[in-house]
Amino acid sequence: GNSVTQMEGPVTLSEEAFLTINCTYTATGYPSLFWYVQYPGEGLQLLLKATKADDKGSNKGFEATYRKETTSFHLEKGSVQVSDSAVYFCALTRYSSASKIIFGSGTRLSIRP
Amino acid sequence: EAGVTQFPSHSVIEKGQTVTLRCDPISGHDNLYWYRRVMGKEIKFLLHFVKESKQDESGMPNNRFLAERTGGTYSTLKVQPAELEDSGVYFCASSQDGRGVYEKLFFGSGTQLSVL
């Protein structure tokens, strides 16, 4: 079946450090891939997405590239800020309905000033 | 514009008790979804309403869970009786369109349920 595996947290970094949160997936066909973020006290929000192989999603300085050959969608940011502290969820869907989104288990990121 | 609102933000109950969670979607959103994250694991889909009708309830774990959306506005999710394994964060989300517009899927901040 379809599934998403992401690195376990928590991840703690210093401000301005480079960030990578690994995400790999298992799916038949060609899923769309997403990163969602949940800031403290807020709901999940879509951070970025990629809908086909080699697409790069980007937003707020974060990037992730859809790698079909390695079934990965790693999240990266060159210089993190304290305000990036949140829980990040990798997700996929093969369908257009939000009822079919498969989420990973989340990675908590904490950034030290 | 108000976002998706969930009540309560936290609930602590004893095993065997009943708890009712509420979700107020964004006004005008016909689609309402419930998800949950148990034990810090992956977020899983529970069910999907279109207006007051249950479009998909394939993720509901068992008959201790009852979801309603009377009048197609707010929704409630009742757990009766609650068990220890029901502890987790329950998320609600809403959208105007039901398909393919993930940028327009809005989540609430969740209800943290602890069953002791």
Side-chain angles (χ1 to χ4, degrees):
Chain A
N2 299 331
S3 65
V4 173
T5 302
Q6 60 183 107
M7 63 189 291
E8 291 190 20
V11 174
T12 303
L13 297 173
S14 296
E15 204 165 20
E16 299 183 2
F18 184 86
L19 168 72
T20 299
I21 300 178
N22 290 336
C23 171
T24 57
Y25 67 89
T26 301
T28 54
Y30 302 92
S32 294
L33 303 175
F34 310 89
W35 277 99
Y36 282 84
V37 58
Q38 184 183 20
Y39 298 105
E42 299 183 12
L44 277 79
Q45 53 187 276
L46 181 65
L47 179 61
L48 53 85
K49 70 173 184 179
T51 57
K52 60 183 187 294
D54 299 323
D55 267 2
K56 178 185 287 187
S58 62
N59 186 23
K60 299 182 179 181
F62 291 89
E63 293 183 339
T65 301
Y66 190 141
R67 300 287 189 200
K68 189 159 179 64
E69 64 275 15
T70 54
T71 61
S72 65
F73 193 55
H74 304 321
L75 183 67
E76 297 182 335
K77 186 174 185 181
S79 178
V80 292
Q81 306 300 314
V82 173
S83 57
D84 294 326
S85 298
V87 183
Y88 293 81
F89 294 89
C90 186
L92 69 79
T93 186
R94 284 193 59 215
Y95 304 92
S96 55
S97 170
S99 64
K100 304 300 183 185
I101 301 176
I102 307 295
F103 289 92
S105 56
T107 302
R108 180 174 296 279
L109 173 66
S110 296
I111 307 300
R112 293 188 299 254
Chain B
E1 177 183 89
V4 177
T5 309
Q6 293 188 242
F7 304 97
S9 57
H10 293 81
S11 180
V12 181
I13 61 172
E14 294 188 351
K15 176 183 173 180
Q17 291 186 322
T18 297
V19 63
T20 300
L21 314 181
R22 172 170 169 149
C23 170
D24 285 68
I26 292 173
S27 178
H29 282 193
D30 289 340
N31 294 272
L32 187 149
Y33 307 84
W34 284 99
Y35 301 84
R36 72 172 182 174
R37 186 186 187 208
V38 173
M39 296 293 290
K41 296 184 178 178
E42 59 272 16
I43 298 170
K44 290 192 173 181
F45 165 78
L46 295 177
L47 87 160
H48 171 204
F49 282 101
V50 178
K51 297 185 179 178
E52 67 273 13
S53 299
K54 292 177 184 176
Q55 181 77 11
D56 182 350
E57 52 183 329
S58 61
M60 295 288 265
N62 52 61
N63 59 10
R64 295 186 293 103
F65 289 75
L66 175 64
E68 294 180 324
R69 193 183 181 195
T70 307
T73 55
Y74 70 90
S75 175
T76 57
L77 180 64
K78 180 189 289 187
V79 186
Q80 179 181 28
E83 299 290 344
L84 299 178
E85 63 264 26
D86 300 331
S87 297
V89 181
Y90 289 76
F91 293 101
C92 176
S94 74
S95 68
Q96 190 167 36
D97 298 309
R99 304 181 72 80
V101 282
Y102 299 105
E103 293 88 348
K104 301 299 183 184
L105 181 65
F106 296 90
F107 282 82
S109 56
T111 294
Q112 174 75 58
L113 175 63
S114 299
V115 182
L116 307 178

